[in-house]
């Protein structure tokens, strides 16, 4: 089983719908992240969390919200999806080591029509 | 201006070639420098990590950091078709938040 699991892997929805992307990890890491990847723009940070009580905005948090339900679970919500939120979304975890290495899930491809 | 700039490619080379991938950055406070490799339909995986300036070698891969020029490089020797992927540079001031380049798509043909 993957260490960082994202669900769903693919989702097509309509403008205005509420969408939740879920992430769970078995690595025991405290730090969790949500990124989105777009062609030509690379990976951009949406939100990150260092523990259950800590939530921080990234560079593109507008239109998104997150919930850290437990150390192992971090979900991303789009309250009212719009077409320019069509992208590949990645969850990642980071340990307490001094390298800053992130471990990524396989991605969730979201299409907003 | 983006904090991290990376040529998106694509870069197409024959098997056995030496590949050079590069990123420039503007934030002189960056101390941690990484290269991630991303295969199609997969998440990125850490390939190389360097702290501060200098070189690091791991098999066919060499990472270089030149902080005076704000420039990092990844060299791949004896490139193989299995090296075909997107390579993303990433860097950070501390260890808590990585800033990624846009990624360079590499194709190694037999």
């Amino acid at each position: 089983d993957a260490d960082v699991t994202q669900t769903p892997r693919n989702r097509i929805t309509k403008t205005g719908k509420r969408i939740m992307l879920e992430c769970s990890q078995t690595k025991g890491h405290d730090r969790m992240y949500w990124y989105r990847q777009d062609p030509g723009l690379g990976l951009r940070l949406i939100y990150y969390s260092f523990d259950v009580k800590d939530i921080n905005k990234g560079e593109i948090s507008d239109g998104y919200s997150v919930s850290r339900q437990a150390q192992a679970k971090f979900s991303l919500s789009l309250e009212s999806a719009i077409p320019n939120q069509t992208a590949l979304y990645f969850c990642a975890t980071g340990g307490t080591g001094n390298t800053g290495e992130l471990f990524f899930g396989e991605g969730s491809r979201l299409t907003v029509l | 201006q983006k904090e991290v700039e990376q040529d998106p490619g694509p870069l197409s080379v024959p098997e056995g070639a030496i590949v050079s991938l590069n990123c420039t950055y503007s934030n002189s406070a960056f101390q941690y420098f990484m290269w991630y490799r991303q295969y199609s339909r997969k998440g990125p995986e850490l390939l190389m990590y360097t702290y501060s300036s200098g070189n690091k070698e791991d098999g066919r891969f060499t990472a270089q950091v030149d902080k005076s020029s704000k420039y990092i490089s990844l060299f791949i020797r004896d490139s193989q078709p299995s090296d075909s992927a997107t390579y993303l540079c990433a860097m950070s001031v501390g260890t808590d938040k990585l800033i990624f380049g846009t990624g360079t798509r590499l194709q190694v043909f037999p």
Side-chain angles (χ1 to χ4, degrees), chain A residues 9 31 33 35 37 40-43 45 48 50 59 88 90 97-107 109, chain B residues 2 8 32 34 36 38 41-46 49 51 86 88 92 94-103:
Chain A
R9 293 292 312 279
R31 294 181 287 140
Y33 303 77
Y35 285 88
Q37 188 174 38
L41 296 177
L43 283 162
L45 183 61
Y48 60 105
F50 290 165
E59 60 181 297
L88 184 56
F90 285 101
N98 62 358
T99 66
E101 179 181 2
L102 296 183
F103 299 84
F104 285 84
E106 303 243 300
R109 184 168 295 280
Chain B
K2 292 182 180 178
Y32 298 86
M34 304 179 195
Y36 281 77
Q38 183 178 19
R41 303 182 187 280
K42 296 289 187 181
E45 294 179 308
L46 183 66
Y49 159 82
Y51 172 70
T86 297
L88 303 107
S92 65
T95 58
D96 56 353
K97 192 168 58 170
L98 285 179
I99 307 298
F100 285 84
T102 54

Side-chain angles (χ1 to χ4, degrees), chain A residues 34-46 59-60 64 84-90 104 108-109, chain B residues 2-9 23 36 38 42-44 86-90 98-105:
Chain A
W34 276 104
Y35 285 88
R36 68 175 277 178
Q37 188 174 38
D38 299 275
L41 296 177
L43 283 162
R44 292 181 292 165
L45 183 61
I46 306 172
E59 60 181 297
I60 54 162
Y64 301 95
N84 77 357
Q85 291 177 314
T86 293
L88 184 56
Y89 290 84
F90 285 101
F104 285 84
S108 295
R109 184 168 295 280
Chain B
K2 292 182 180 178
E3 278 191 288
V4 180
E5 299 276 1
Q6 184 175 9
D7 186 335
C23 288
Y36 281 77
Q38 183 178 19
K42 296 289 187 181
T86 297
Y87 291 80
L88 303 107
C89 62
L98 285 179
I99 307 298
F100 285 84
T102 54
T104 300
R105 189 157 59 91

Side-chain angles (χ1 to χ4, degrees), chain A:
Chain A
D1 290 341
D3 293 325
V4 183
T5 303
Q6 293 183 230
T7 56
R9 293 292 312 279
N10 290 282
R11 182 71 183 269
I12 300 173
T13 191
K14 295 182 179 179
T15 297
K17 293 293 187 181
R18 184 177 188 273
I19 291 295
M20 179 180 286
L21 305 179
E22 298 186 338
C23 177
S24 63
Q25 53 117 343
T26 58
K27 299 190 76 67
H29 290 164
D30 289 324
R31 294 181 287 140
M32 297 188 74
Y33 303 77
W34 276 104
Y35 285 88
R36 68 175 277 178
Q37 188 174 38
D38 299 275
L41 296 177
L43 283 162
R44 292 181 292 165
L45 183 61
I46 306 172
Y47 270 96
Y48 60 105
S49 169
F50 290 165
D51 65 36
V52 175
K53 297 179 181 179
D54 176 79
I55 301 290
N56 304 281
K57 292 182 177 181
E59 60 181 297
I60 54 162
S61 59
D62 287 348
Y64 301 95
S65 63
V66 291
S67 174
R68 186 80 183 266
Q69 301 96 322
Q71 187 212 31
K73 296 184 182 296
F74 192 37
S75 59
L76 176 71
S77 294
L78 288 69
E79 296 301 325
S80 180
I82 57 177
N84 77 357
Q85 291 177 314
T86 293
L88 184 56
Y89 290 84
F90 285 101
C91 175
T93 71
T96 55
N98 62 358
T99 66
E101 179 181 2
L102 296 183
F103 299 84
F104 285 84
E106 303 243 300
S108 295
R109 184 168 295 280
L110 177 66
T111 302
V112 183
L113 301 175

Side-chain angles (χ1 to χ4, degrees), chain B residues 28-70:
Chain B
S28 58
F30 284 145
Q31 296 189 85
Y32 298 86
F33 303 92
M34 304 179 195
W35 287 94
Y36 281 77
R37 179 173 62 195
Q38 183 178 19
Y39 290 113
S40 181
R41 303 182 187 280
K42 296 289 187 181
E45 294 179 308
L46 183 66
L47 184 61
M48 297 286 285
Y49 159 82
T50 308
Y51 172 70
S52 193
S53 283
N55 295 356
K56 187 170 185 178
E57 187 173 322
D58 184 1
R60 297 184 295 110
F61 299 89
T62 299
Q64 291 185 349
V65 175
D66 181 350
K67 293 190 74 177
S68 62
S69 301
K70 298 190 181 70

